[in-house]
Structure formats: structure tokens, C-alpha cells
Amino acid sequence: MLSHSCVPPFLPVGLSQTAERNTKVRASKLLAIWGFLLSASRPVGVTEMLILGESLNLTSPQSVYLYLRAMTEMGVVRAYPATEGTHRKLYSGVFPPTLTELDRQMLAHWIDSAVCESCVGQVRARFLGNCPIEQADHRHLPLLPAGTRETIRRIDRLHEPKVRQIWGELISSEDSFSLAQVLRICADTEEVLSSQTIGHYVRAMRGVGLIQVAKYARGIGKIYQGRFPPHTGRADIAALALWLRSLPLERARVVRYRAAAHVNLPSLRSVEAMTAGDVGSHGGQEAKV
């Protein structure tokens, strides 16, 4: 739990008017909660947020929920199911997709000049990726292609960072994975998953083209590999730049190979640029592809 948060200096254009129309919430408290969730290393629950709420005179779960509902509708908070089969939710701060160019310039200046050292990694990752970072170790997770991301968000009982975690492992590995091996990929997260839940993730990810069946192994069942959805475009590939530079060179090469199998040539050139010529990328090696 963070001992503090870095509070954004303003609500994005349009959202401030929405906040003003909601007479049950105050913009100053919205900003404080938003900053807290943007700075958190993982999605947090209402119980944890009550500690922050005490300083804002929000002393009951109901008062915190009132703000979380308003902020979810505004697009600055995203809610996730805490565990399978329960109604308890976890919350994470996001930057809304409706940011104007002026919003982005002002927020980028705030992040670079005012956010403290302990918070800036989380806030900048969310700002660049427009999505929450699940892992406390700040490792990068690949951004899903835009069309796929919107579909995934409409499917019940899917936690988007977990989808990104599974896809990142499968798309960057030469190996194929059984259902049990996919389950082990998620073993380092707080949410305990069952084989039934992982089956739900795998079926959904197959449905949107993020993974495919590589073969059928006797006594094991279907074996899966990562892939790029057919509709992946140049902007989707460009959005993977930070993640690709965080990978070991061999894994980055696997991503490039899989992109070649499913993505048009102009997009593939973007992958080549991301995995070549950067001194200090890929664990300090110079990538020559």
C-alpha cells in the first residue's frame, strides 16, 4: 500500500464538466483518488482505499464506492473481479482514451516535472500504454492490438493485464504450452486461478486470434502458441516498442518471426527497427538482427 500518491493537477477536458454535473462528488477528491490509483503498483480494493479515504473524509465503503462508480463512468478508473466467483472488485487508475492533444501535453509535463521518483514509473507506464500495470516489479507487458483490446474488454471475467501477461509469454517463446503450463505463467500473480478459469482465458484468446492450437498431444490435450491477430496494424506494432526493448534478444526475435507470419510487411519493418541497433536494449546487448 502506498504511503502517498501524486495528484494530477487537473481533470481532462470534458471530464471536469462531468464532475461538476455530479453534485455528489468533488473534483479535488476525484483527483486525489485518481492519483492514488495511477501510482499504485497493482489494482487495489476498497478496504485499502479507505486508508486514503480517511484523509479525504470518506470514511465508509459506501462513500468510496460513490467516487469509484463516478470515476469508472468517466473512464479514469477500471474495475476488475478480485477472484473468480465473487463480487469483490479491484480498481486501477487509467488515462481515458478521450484525452485531447492539450491534455496529453499538460499531463506529460506533469509526469516529467512533478511526479515523485517512487510513483513516476507506474504513472508513465499507464500514460504511455493507457492501461494498468499489474506487476509490482514494473516489468513491461505487451499492449494488445486495438481491435482485440476492445473485444477483450467486453468479455466477462477477463482481467486485461492477465491476458497481456499470457500473450506476452506465448508470443515471445519458441515453445508451445499446454493448459497446465499456461496456468503456471500466472502463478506469480495474487489472483489464484483454476484450470477452469484458465480455460476461459484460452478460449477467449483463441477467439480473438491471440493464440492458436499448435498440435494435440496425447494424454495432455491441446498445445498452444502465441500469434498476432490478422487485423494487427502498423500502429499496433509501433505500440509494442517499449515491451520489445525490455525482452532478451532471442525473445524479441521470436516476436519478429511471429509478426512476419501474420502481419503485413510495412508493420514488420517497424518490428525490425524496434529489435535492432539499440545499445543497452535486451539486457545490455547490441541487437543486430
Side-chain angles (χ1 to χ4, degrees):
M1 182 69 181
L2 293 177
S3 59
H4 77 289
S5 62
C6 290
V7 180
F10 66 95
L11 285 170
V13 172
L15 298 187
S16 58
Q17 297 175 351
T18 302
E20 288 173 1
R21 289 195 297 268
N22 188 339
T23 58
K24 296 181 179 179
V25 299
R26 293 185 179 181
S28 60
K29 295 183 180 181
L30 287 174
L31 286 169
I33 295 172
W34 190 30
F36 173 77
L37 292 174
L38 287 173
S39 307
S41 62
R42 57 179 174 80
V44 299
V46 170
T47 301
E48 292 176 279
M49 293 184 63
L50 280 172
I51 300 175
L52 171 71
E54 290 178 359
S55 65
L56 300 175
N57 199 29
L58 302 175
T59 55
S60 69
Q62 290 77 13
S63 61
V64 174
Y65 277 124
L66 177 67
Y67 276 81
L68 289 173
R69 283 194 295 269
M71 296 173 72
T72 301
E73 293 174 0
M74 294 166 64
V76 295
V77 166
R78 192 165 295 140
Y80 303 96
T83 54
E84 185 72 14
T86 72
H87 296 293
R88 190 170 70 89
K89 292 187 180 295
L90 300 176
Y91 298 89
S92 188
V94 295
F95 289 93
T98 55
L99 291 177
T100 66
E101 185 58 32
L102 180 59
D103 285 332
R104 296 195 67 84
Q105 291 176 6
M106 294 176 67
L107 286 167
H109 177 73
W110 167 67
I111 292 168
D112 291 338
S113 62
V115 178
C116 73
E117 184 176 352
S118 63
C119 295
V120 69
Q122 293 294 341
V123 177
R124 181 175 286 120
R126 286 172 165 84
F127 182 68
L128 294 176
N130 190 28
C131 50
I133 301 300
E134 181 183 48
Q135 301 299 322
D137 61 6
H138 303 274
R139 72 178 179 181
H140 292 291
L141 296 174
L143 292 173
L144 302 176
T148 302
R149 184 166 63 245
E150 294 307 312
T151 303
I152 286 292
R153 289 175 180 175
R154 291 194 295 267
I155 300 175
D156 290 338
R157 297 182 293 117
L158 287 186
H159 188 193
E160 184 186 333
K162 196 172 298 298
V163 172
R164 294 166 59 208
Q165 181 187 8
I166 295 169
W167 186 54
E169 183 68 23
L170 269 62
I171 200 71
S172 64
S173 175
E174 293 181 333
D175 298 329
S176 300
F177 294 77
S178 68
L179 201 63
Q181 289 171 319
V182 176
L183 179 59
R184 283 198 288 272
I185 292 172
C186 304
D188 62 343
T189 61
E190 292 190 353
E191 183 180 351
V192 178
L193 295 175
S194 65
S195 57
Q196 289 82 5
T197 308
I198 281 295
H200 174 61
Y201 273 78
V202 168
R203 286 190 296 273
M205 293 175 70
R206 280 188 65 193
V208 298
L210 291 171
I211 61 176
Q212 62 187 354
V213 177
K215 59 183 177 179
Y216 187 91
R218 195 170 185 177
I220 297 176
K222 294 174 182 176
I223 306 296
Y224 303 95
Q225 285 182 337
R227 58 164 289 173
F228 283 89
H231 58 261
T232 303
R234 184 180 304 182
D236 297 317
I237 294 296
L240 294 175
L242 285 175
W243 174 67
L244 280 167
R245 288 170 182 158
S246 75
L247 294 177
L249 179 58
E250 289 306 314
R251 280 188 169 268
R253 284 175 170 164
V254 173
V255 176
R256 179 185 169 189
Y257 171 80
R258 298 203 190 285
H262 298 288
V263 182
N264 61 35
L265 187 58
S267 294
L268 179 58
R269 291 196 185 102
S270 298
V271 177
E272 291 174 348
M274 294 172 197
T275 57
D278 280 340
V279 178
S281 297
H282 311 293
Q285 302 178 51
E286 182 177 358
K288 295 181 179 179
V289 182

